[in-house]
Amino acid sequence: MCDTSGRLDGKVAVVTGGSSGIGFEAAKNLAYLGANVVIASRNETKLAKARKRIQNVTGNRNVSYRLLDLSSLRSARSFAEATIHGEGRLDILVNNAGALGLSDRLTDDGLNLTMQVNYFGTFLLTYLLLPLLRSSSPSRIITGVAAAMYIGHLDFDHWNDIGRYTSVEVLANSKLAADLFTAELSRRLESTGVTANTYDPYVARDTNILNNIDGLTRNISQLFVDLVGQPKEEVGKQIAYLAAEPALADVSGKHYKFCREWINHWLVYESELTEQLWDASKKVVNVTADEDWEV
């Protein structure tokens, strides 16, 4: 199902969370397909090791890295600026980075940590890179979500509250926001040559997604992952398929799982809500007049 005849020679691909786990596997597969790959995460040591491994395994020397901490809006802005000036083009943006079980606290930007890492940071990064993606079209934006989004709820007056949500609830809310953002993004990018789709990695084995969970909950979660999870290598192939498959060149606003179109959240069709999310998100991340390409 995930085999593709597509090639990415000469294309530039950015993969957030690309130093380990699913992101590493996605970056490796994109490199196999000939892309110039930029992996991003907050740990430079891990990034350097990941770049070397990808280069050695694939034989593709066009792999680089750039620091990105999605819990910092300043970092997202710095990454976007460096990418715009350093790459010259951007054909594929894989918004893979995310986290589960983070502490229930505010970031230095005054935002809920999980919401910022899983959504607001990604929103800002994508928004700032959109002019480059449009000038490089045809291009693709691929954003990771999760089945938890189906139980998510968005209350724009309280989505950054501390002590209001369980770790599962805030994860669900953040992934729902990412899904609805992608739906609105797809509508706004119609006829631009830029597509936007989401993917659900299901449950992947041998990743660090459970690192922030302690005790019995972690043990039970790990048992579940070991029993039903798919190899992270398979998820990497699925992401690369969405990035390279020629048949998907004009497909946008869809949700994928196991390389198949999957049932999306019913709220993606509520355009009034997705527009409200878009506007509220711009305010939260403080999009400036110079950054606002919609003006």
Side-chain angles (χ1 to χ4, degrees), residues 23-222:
F24 173 84
E25 296 299 330
K28 182 178 71 177
N29 279 278
L30 293 172
Y32 268 129
L33 295 175
N36 295 4
V37 182
V38 181
I39 53 175
S41 80
R42 60 181 183 170
N43 188 309
E44 187 166 10
T45 300
K46 289 183 178 180
L47 282 168
K49 290 180 179 179
R51 176 184 62 179
K52 185 175 182 179
R53 286 175 58 201
I54 294 171
Q55 289 175 332
N56 290 341
V57 169
T58 66
N60 185 341
R61 310 308 296 175
N62 296 315
V63 181
S64 59
Y65 68 79
R66 192 165 290 131
L67 287 170
L68 171 65
D69 181 356
L70 289 174
S71 70
S72 164
L73 298 182
R74 176 181 294 180
S75 177
R77 286 185 161 92
S78 296
F79 182 93
E81 182 177 4
T83 300
I84 291 167
H85 294 295
E87 303 304 328
R89 65 178 299 114
L90 181 57
D91 304 275
I92 301 156
L93 172 60
V94 179
N95 290 316
N96 162 77
L100 169 67
L102 298 176
S103 57
D104 189 19
R105 65 175 178 85
L106 296 177
T107 65
D108 291 342
D109 298 301
L111 308 178
N112 179 287
L113 177 60
T114 298
M115 285 296 300
Q116 182 163 344
V117 169
N118 288 353
Y119 174 61
F120 291 121
T122 292
F123 174 89
L124 178 61
L125 178 65
T126 305
Y127 191 91
L128 296 177
L129 290 175
L130 273 170
L132 183 59
L133 285 157
R134 293 181 67 170
S135 67
S136 307
S137 65
S139 52
R140 306 185 190 191
I141 302 168
I142 305 163
T143 300
V145 293
M149 69 181 184
Y150 296 110
I151 62 169
H153 172 72
L154 294 180
D155 182 340
F156 300 131
D157 293 325
H158 297 286
W159 54 353
N160 281 303
D161 285 2
I162 298 304
R164 187 181 187 90
Y165 305 107
T166 67
S167 60
V168 172
E169 287 172 335
V170 72
L171 171 70
N173 297 347
S174 66
K175 293 302 184 180
L176 175 59
D179 191 48
L180 300 189
F181 157 60
T182 302
E184 180 62 22
L185 185 60
S186 177
R187 279 191 277 270
R188 291 178 183 244
L189 292 175
E190 188 175 357
S191 301
T192 65
V194 184
T195 62
N197 296 293
T198 57
Y199 70 92
D200 178 359
Y202 184 54
V203 179
R205 297 195 295 269
D206 300 320
T207 71
N208 58 8
I209 191 66
L210 300 177
N211 282 5
N212 298 311
I213 301 175
D214 296 319
L216 182 60
T217 301
R218 177 171 180 171
N219 293 337
I220 295 173
S221 299
Q222 188 62 62

